PDB file of all heavy atoms in Angstrom:
ATOM      1  N   GLU Q   1      94.162  99.665 119.975  1.00  0.00           N
ATOM      2  CA  GLU Q   1      94.636  99.503 118.672  1.00  0.00           C
ATOM      3  C   GLU Q   1      94.225 100.651 117.748  1.00  0.00           C
ATOM      4  O   GLU Q   1      93.248 101.353 118.058  1.00  0.00           O
ATOM      5  CB  GLU Q   1      94.036  98.203 118.059  1.00  0.00           C
ATOM      6  CG  GLU Q   1      94.466  96.943 118.731  1.00  0.00           C
ATOM      7  CD  GLU Q   1      95.864  96.482 118.389  1.00  0.00           C
ATOM      8  OE1 GLU Q   1      96.413  96.997 117.384  1.00  0.00           O
ATOM      9  OE2 GLU Q   1      96.381  95.652 119.126  1.00  0.00           O
ATOM     10  N   THR Q   2      94.989 100.942 116.684  1.00  0.00           N
ATOM     11  CA  THR Q   2      94.664 102.037 115.814  1.00  0.00           C
ATOM     12  C   THR Q   2      94.713 101.503 114.360  1.00  0.00           C
ATOM     13  O   THR Q   2      94.668 100.280 114.154  1.00  0.00           O
ATOM     14  CB  THR Q   2      95.662 103.195 115.928  1.00  0.00           C
ATOM     15  OG1 THR Q   2      96.985 102.787 115.552  1.00  0.00           O
ATOM     16  CG2 THR Q   2      95.727 103.692 117.399  1.00  0.00           C
ATOM     17  N   ILE Q   3      94.796 102.423 113.377  1.00  0.00           N
ATOM     18  CA  ILE Q   3      94.738 102.027 112.033  1.00  0.00           C
ATOM     19  C   ILE Q   3      96.003 101.321 111.520  1.00  0.00           C
ATOM     20  O   ILE Q   3      96.011 100.679 110.496  1.00  0.00           O
ATOM     21  CB  ILE Q   3      94.460 103.170 111.077  1.00  0.00           C
ATOM     22  CG1 ILE Q   3      95.566 104.232 111.134  1.00  0.00           C
ATOM     23  CG2 ILE Q   3      93.153 103.803 111.437  1.00  0.00           C
ATOM     24  CD1 ILE Q   3      95.447 105.283 110.142  1.00  0.00           C
ATOM     25  N   GLY Q   4      97.085 101.465 112.253  1.00  0.00           N
ATOM     26  CA  GLY Q   4      98.382 100.873 111.839  1.00  0.00           C
ATOM     27  C   GLY Q   4      99.423 100.955 112.886  1.00  0.00           C
ATOM     28  O   GLY Q   4      99.189 101.463 113.977  1.00  0.00           O
ATOM     29  N   ARG Q   5     100.616 100.459 112.568  1.00  0.00           N
ATOM     30  CA  ARG Q   5     101.714 100.404 113.549  1.00  0.00           C
ATOM     31  C   ARG Q   5     102.326 101.825 113.586  1.00  0.00           C
ATOM     32  O   ARG Q   5     102.179 102.674 112.772  1.00  0.00           O
ATOM     33  CB  ARG Q   5     102.730  99.422 113.101  1.00  0.00           C
ATOM     34  CG  ARG Q   5     102.176  98.001 113.136  1.00  0.00           C
ATOM     35  CD  ARG Q   5     103.126  97.005 112.506  1.00  0.00           C
ATOM     36  NE  ARG Q   5     104.434  96.977 113.175  1.00  0.00           N
ATOM     37  CZ  ARG Q   5     105.499  96.268 112.770  1.00  0.00           C
ATOM     38  NH1 ARG Q   5     105.409  95.536 111.667  1.00  0.00           N
ATOM     39  NH2 ARG Q   5     106.608  96.272 113.414  1.00  0.00           N
ATOM     40  N   ASP Q   6     103.100 102.048 114.693  1.00  0.00           N
ATOM     41  CA  ASP Q   6     103.844 103.260 114.881  1.00  0.00           C
ATOM     42  C   ASP Q   6     105.071 103.248 114.016  1.00  0.00           C
ATOM     43  O   ASP Q   6     106.001 102.465 114.212  1.00  0.00           O
ATOM     44  CB  ASP Q   6     104.199 103.416 116.386  1.00  0.00           C
ATOM     45  CG  ASP Q   6     104.721 104.818 116.720  1.00  0.00           C
ATOM     46  OD1 ASP Q   6     105.308 105.470 115.824  1.00  0.00           O
ATOM     47  OD2 ASP Q   6     104.562 105.257 117.875  1.00  0.00           O
ATOM     48  N   LEU Q   7     105.147 104.211 113.070  1.00  0.00           N
ATOM     49  CA  LEU Q   7     106.209 104.242 112.098  1.00  0.00           C
ATOM     50  C   LEU Q   7     107.522 104.451 112.763  1.00  0.00           C
ATOM     51  O   LEU Q   7     108.533 103.916 112.354  1.00  0.00           O
ATOM     52  CB  LEU Q   7     105.963 105.355 111.049  1.00  0.00           C
ATOM     53  CG  LEU Q   7     106.766 105.350 109.790  1.00  0.00           C
ATOM     54  CD1 LEU Q   7     106.503 104.068 108.999  1.00  0.00           C
ATOM     55  CD2 LEU Q   7     106.453 106.591 108.959  1.00  0.00           C
ATOM     56  N   ARG Q   8     107.539 105.148 113.906  1.00  0.00           N
ATOM     57  CA  ARG Q   8     108.828 105.467 114.621  1.00  0.00           C
ATOM     58  C   ARG Q   8     109.444 104.209 115.216  1.00  0.00           C
ATOM     59  O   ARG Q   8     110.656 104.102 115.492  1.00  0.00           O
ATOM     60  CB  ARG Q   8     108.598 106.515 115.642  1.00  0.00           C
ATOM     61  CG  ARG Q   8     108.144 107.886 115.101  1.00  0.00           C
ATOM     62  CD  ARG Q   8     107.622 108.748 116.217  1.00  0.00           C
ATOM     63  NE  ARG Q   8     106.488 108.148 116.878  1.00  0.00           N
ATOM     64  CZ  ARG Q   8     105.832 108.700 117.926  1.00  0.00           C
ATOM     65  NH1 ARG Q   8     106.230 109.894 118.362  1.00  0.00           N
ATOM     66  NH2 ARG Q   8     104.818 108.111 118.472  1.00  0.00           N
ATOM     67  N   GLU Q   9     108.582 103.263 115.554  1.00  0.00           N
ATOM     68  CA  GLU Q   9     109.044 102.061 116.287  1.00  0.00           C
ATOM     69  C   GLU Q   9     109.165 100.835 115.336  1.00  0.00           C
ATOM     70  O   GLU Q   9     109.655  99.745 115.802  1.00  0.00           O
ATOM     71  CB  GLU Q   9     108.071 101.769 117.422  1.00  0.00           C
ATOM     72  CG  GLU Q   9     107.957 102.824 118.463  1.00  0.00           C
ATOM     73  CD  GLU Q   9     106.871 102.549 119.504  1.00  0.00           C
ATOM     74  OE1 GLU Q   9     106.262 101.507 119.402  1.00  0.00           O
ATOM     75  OE2 GLU Q   9     106.697 103.363 120.390  1.00  0.00           O
ATOM     76  N   MET Q  10     108.812 101.010 114.103  1.00  0.00           N
ATOM     77  CA  MET Q  10     108.863  99.849 113.175  1.00  0.00           C
ATOM     78  C   MET Q  10     110.290  99.548 112.766  1.00  0.00           C
ATOM     79  O   MET Q  10     111.066 100.452 112.508  1.00  0.00           O
ATOM     80  CB  MET Q  10     108.036 100.122 111.924  1.00  0.00           C
ATOM     81  CG  MET Q  10     106.573 100.062 112.107  1.00  0.00           C
ATOM     82  SD  MET Q  10     105.630 100.500 110.644  1.00  0.00           S
ATOM     83  CE  MET Q  10     106.321  99.360 109.420  1.00  0.00           C
ATOM     84  N   GLN Q  11     110.549  98.250 112.740  1.00  0.00           N
ATOM     85  CA  GLN Q  11     111.877  97.818 112.157  1.00  0.00           C
ATOM     86  C   GLN Q  11     111.676  97.755 110.688  1.00  0.00           C
ATOM     87  O   GLN Q  11     110.768  97.035 110.153  1.00  0.00           O
ATOM     88  CB  GLN Q  11     112.262  96.413 112.771  1.00  0.00           C
ATOM     89  CG  GLN Q  11     113.619  95.937 112.195  1.00  0.00           C
ATOM     90  CD  GLN Q  11     114.002  94.580 112.791  1.00  0.00           C
ATOM     91  OE1 GLN Q  11     113.282  94.087 113.631  1.00  0.00           O
ATOM     92  NE2 GLN Q  11     115.095  94.015 112.324  1.00  0.00           N
ATOM     93  N   ARG Q  12     112.553  98.462 109.935  1.00  0.00           N
ATOM     94  CA  ARG Q  12     112.367  98.483 108.490  1.00  0.00           C
ATOM     95  C   ARG Q  12     112.629  97.145 107.866  1.00  0.00           C
ATOM     96  O   ARG Q  12     113.664  96.497 108.101  1.00  0.00           O
ATOM     97  CB  ARG Q  12     113.291  99.571 107.899  1.00  0.00           C
ATOM     98  CG  ARG Q  12     112.985  99.779 106.397  1.00  0.00           C
ATOM     99  CD  ARG Q  12     113.699 101.035 105.909  1.00  0.00           C
ATOM    100  NE  ARG Q  12     115.122 100.876 105.739  1.00  0.00           N
ATOM    101  CZ  ARG Q  12     115.712 100.322 104.654  1.00  0.00           C
ATOM    102  NH1 ARG Q  12     114.993 100.035 103.631  1.00  0.00           N
ATOM    103  NH2 ARG Q  12     117.011 100.219 104.626  1.00  0.00           N
ATOM    104  N   VAL Q  13     111.646  96.670 107.090  1.00  0.00           N
ATOM    105  CA  VAL Q  13     111.764  95.399 106.357  1.00  0.00           C
ATOM    106  C   VAL Q  13     111.819  95.731 104.860  1.00  0.00           C
ATOM    107  O   VAL Q  13     110.791  96.113 104.263  1.00  0.00           O
ATOM    108  CB  VAL Q  13     110.576  94.524 106.663  1.00  0.00           C
ATOM    109  CG1 VAL Q  13     110.746  93.207 105.895  1.00  0.00           C
ATOM    110  CG2 VAL Q  13     110.482  94.226 108.182  1.00  0.00           C
ATOM    111  N   PRO Q  14     112.958  95.607 104.223  1.00  0.00           N
ATOM    112  CA  PRO Q  14     113.089  95.938 102.775  1.00  0.00           C
ATOM    113  C   PRO Q  14     112.362  94.877 101.943  1.00  0.00           C
ATOM    114  O   PRO Q  14     112.183  93.751 102.407  1.00  0.00           O
ATOM    115  CB  PRO Q  14     114.565  95.953 102.515  1.00  0.00           C
ATOM    116  CG  PRO Q  14     115.134  95.043 103.544  1.00  0.00           C
ATOM    117  CD  PRO Q  14     114.278  95.181 104.764  1.00  0.00           C
ATOM    118  N   LEU Q  15     111.995  95.267 100.763  1.00  0.00           N
ATOM    119  CA  LEU Q  15     111.463  94.298  99.839  1.00  0.00           C
ATOM    120  C   LEU Q  15     112.501  93.282  99.484  1.00  0.00           C
ATOM    121  O   LEU Q  15     113.698  93.636  99.322  1.00  0.00           O
ATOM    122  CB  LEU Q  15     110.878  95.047  98.591  1.00  0.00           C
ATOM    123  CG  LEU Q  15     109.747  95.914  98.809  1.00  0.00           C
ATOM    124  CD1 LEU Q  15     109.366  96.657  97.506  1.00  0.00           C
ATOM    125  CD2 LEU Q  15     108.537  95.156  99.282  1.00  0.00           C
ATOM    126  N   ASP Q  16     112.116  92.056  99.277  1.00  0.00           N
ATOM    127  CA  ASP Q  16     113.025  90.998  98.904  1.00  0.00           C
ATOM    128  C   ASP Q  16     113.548  91.220  97.469  1.00  0.00           C
ATOM    129  O   ASP Q  16     112.949  91.851  96.666  1.00  0.00           O
ATOM    130  CB  ASP Q  16     112.312  89.650  98.993  1.00  0.00           C
ATOM    131  CG  ASP Q  16     113.221  88.508  98.805  1.00  0.00           C
ATOM    132  OD1 ASP Q  16     113.901  88.084  99.761  1.00  0.00           O
ATOM    133  OD2 ASP Q  16     113.281  87.881  97.676  1.00  0.00           O
ATOM    134  N   ALA Q  17     114.725  90.672  97.195  1.00  0.00           N
ATOM    135  CA  ALA Q  17     115.368  90.822  95.890  1.00  0.00           C
ATOM    136  C   ALA Q  17     114.445  90.253  94.819  1.00  0.00           C
ATOM    137  O   ALA Q  17     114.355  90.842  93.695  1.00  0.00           O
ATOM    138  CB  ALA Q  17     116.710  90.123  95.862  1.00  0.00           C
ATOM    139  N   ALA Q  18     113.705  89.182  95.134  1.00  0.00           N
ATOM    140  CA  ALA Q  18     112.798  88.662  94.138  1.00  0.00           C
ATOM    141  C   ALA Q  18     111.653  89.611  93.871  1.00  0.00           C
ATOM    142  O   ALA Q  18     111.125  89.686  92.745  1.00  0.00           O
ATOM    143  CB  ALA Q  18     112.249  87.304  94.622  1.00  0.00           C
ATOM    144  N   HIS Q  19     111.195  90.335  94.921  1.00  0.00           N
ATOM    145  CA  HIS Q  19     110.154  91.318  94.718  1.00  0.00           C
ATOM    146  C   HIS Q  19     110.607  92.438  93.736  1.00  0.00           C
ATOM    147  O   HIS Q  19     109.902  92.920  92.897  1.00  0.00           O
ATOM    148  CB  HIS Q  19     109.745  91.935  96.064  1.00  0.00           C
ATOM    149  CG  HIS Q  19     109.283  90.969  97.088  1.00  0.00           C
ATOM    150  ND1 HIS Q  19     109.273  91.243  98.460  1.00  0.00           N
ATOM    151  CD2 HIS Q  19     108.902  89.643  96.960  1.00  0.00           C
ATOM    152  CE1 HIS Q  19     108.856  90.136  99.071  1.00  0.00           C
ATOM    153  NE2 HIS Q  19     108.605  89.202  98.266  1.00  0.00           N
ATOM    154  N   VAL Q  20     111.833  92.894  93.992  1.00  0.00           N
ATOM    155  CA  VAL Q  20     112.384  93.980  93.173  1.00  0.00           C
ATOM    156  C   VAL Q  20     112.540  93.495  91.763  1.00  0.00           C
ATOM    157  O   VAL Q  20     112.276  94.265  90.789  1.00  0.00           O
ATOM    158  CB  VAL Q  20     113.678  94.510  93.799  1.00  0.00           C
ATOM    159  CG1 VAL Q  20     114.264  95.590  92.890  1.00  0.00           C
ATOM    160  CG2 VAL Q  20     113.515  95.020  95.207  1.00  0.00           C
ATOM    161  N   ALA Q  21     112.979  92.277  91.600  1.00  0.00           N
ATOM    162  CA  ALA Q  21     113.156  91.754  90.234  1.00  0.00           C
ATOM    163  C   ALA Q  21     111.802  91.696  89.511  1.00  0.00           C
ATOM    164  O   ALA Q  21     111.702  92.005  88.298  1.00  0.00           O
ATOM    165  CB  ALA Q  21     113.797  90.348  90.305  1.00  0.00           C
ATOM    166  N   ALA Q  22     110.758  91.324  90.223  1.00  0.00           N
ATOM    167  CA  ALA Q  22     109.431  91.237  89.608  1.00  0.00           C
ATOM    168  C   ALA Q  22     108.929  92.644  89.173  1.00  0.00           C
ATOM    169  O   ALA Q  22     108.313  92.796  88.132  1.00  0.00           O
ATOM    170  CB  ALA Q  22     108.453  90.616  90.594  1.00  0.00           C
ATOM    171  N   MET Q  23     109.340  93.645  90.016  1.00  0.00           N
ATOM    172  CA  MET Q  23     108.921  95.000  89.633  1.00  0.00           C
ATOM    173  C   MET Q  23     109.733  95.495  88.397  1.00  0.00           C
ATOM    174  O   MET Q  23     109.178  96.211  87.573  1.00  0.00           O
ATOM    175  CB  MET Q  23     109.157  95.941  90.845  1.00  0.00           C
ATOM    176  CG  MET Q  23     108.223  95.705  91.994  1.00  0.00           C
ATOM    177  SD  MET Q  23     108.217  97.011  93.218  1.00  0.00           S
ATOM    178  CE  MET Q  23     109.958  96.881  93.825  1.00  0.00           C
ATOM    179  N   ARG Q  24     111.023  95.139  88.354  1.00  0.00           N
ATOM    180  CA  ARG Q  24     111.783  95.588  87.192  1.00  0.00           C
ATOM    181  C   ARG Q  24     111.282  95.037  85.885  1.00  0.00           C
ATOM    182  O   ARG Q  24     111.384  95.679  84.849  1.00  0.00           O
ATOM    183  CB  ARG Q  24     113.283  95.218  87.449  1.00  0.00           C
ATOM    184  CG  ARG Q  24     113.951  95.919  88.544  1.00  0.00           C
ATOM    185  CD  ARG Q  24     115.512  95.791  88.474  1.00  0.00           C
ATOM    186  NE  ARG Q  24     116.074  96.274  89.692  1.00  0.00           N
ATOM    187  CZ  ARG Q  24     116.261  97.601  90.010  1.00  0.00           C
ATOM    188  NH1 ARG Q  24     115.875  98.502  89.123  1.00  0.00           N
ATOM    189  NH2 ARG Q  24     116.815  97.948  91.149  1.00  0.00           N
ATOM    190  N   ALA Q  25     110.676  93.861  86.014  1.00  0.00           N
ATOM    191  CA  ALA Q  25     110.208  93.239  84.731  1.00  0.00           C
ATOM    192  C   ALA Q  25     108.989  93.987  84.180  1.00  0.00           C
ATOM    193  O   ALA Q  25     108.738  93.882  82.959  1.00  0.00           O
ATOM    194  CB  ALA Q  25     109.762  91.805  85.045  1.00  0.00           C
ATOM    195  N   VAL Q  26     108.284  94.814  84.974  1.00  0.00           N
ATOM    196  CA  VAL Q  26     107.111  95.550  84.446  1.00  0.00           C
ATOM    197  C   VAL Q  26     107.242  97.030  84.642  1.00  0.00           C
ATOM    198  O   VAL Q  26     106.341  97.791  84.213  1.00  0.00           O
ATOM    199  CB  VAL Q  26     105.814  95.078  85.208  1.00  0.00           C
ATOM    200  CG1 VAL Q  26     105.482  93.587  84.822  1.00  0.00           C
ATOM    201  CG2 VAL Q  26     105.935  95.261  86.744  1.00  0.00           C
ATOM    202  N   GLY Q  27     108.351  97.505  85.237  1.00  0.00           N
ATOM    203  CA  GLY Q  27     108.545  98.955  85.471  1.00  0.00           C
ATOM    204  C   GLY Q  27     109.593  99.551  84.596  1.00  0.00           C
ATOM    205  O   GLY Q  27     110.105  98.907  83.668  1.00  0.00           O
ATOM    206  N   SER Q  28     109.921 100.767  84.856  1.00  0.00           N
ATOM    207  CA  SER Q  28     110.930 101.499  84.070  1.00  0.00           C
ATOM    208  C   SER Q  28     111.693 102.392  84.999  1.00  0.00           C
ATOM    209  O   SER Q  28     111.237 102.863  86.029  1.00  0.00           O
ATOM    210  CB  SER Q  28     110.270 102.274  82.970  1.00  0.00           C
ATOM    211  OG  SER Q  28     109.395 103.230  83.470  1.00  0.00           O
TER     212      SER Q  28
END
């Protein structure tokens, strides 16, 4: 094991729409 997963083999998991909405409420 190492400090994290292999970026080349990771399946990209996008942030959920609800996560993005929460960020928009406090971001710009």
Side-chain angles (χ1 to χ4, degrees):
E1 297 284 342
T2 66
I3 63 172
R5 297 171 60 185
D6 190 330
L7 195 62
R8 297 167 300 180
E9 299 175 359
M10 284 176 57
Q11 180 179 358
R12 188 166 74 86
V13 179
L15 295 175
D16 188 80
H19 304 160
V20 178
M23 291 192 298
R24 291 196 191 283
V26 293
S28 59

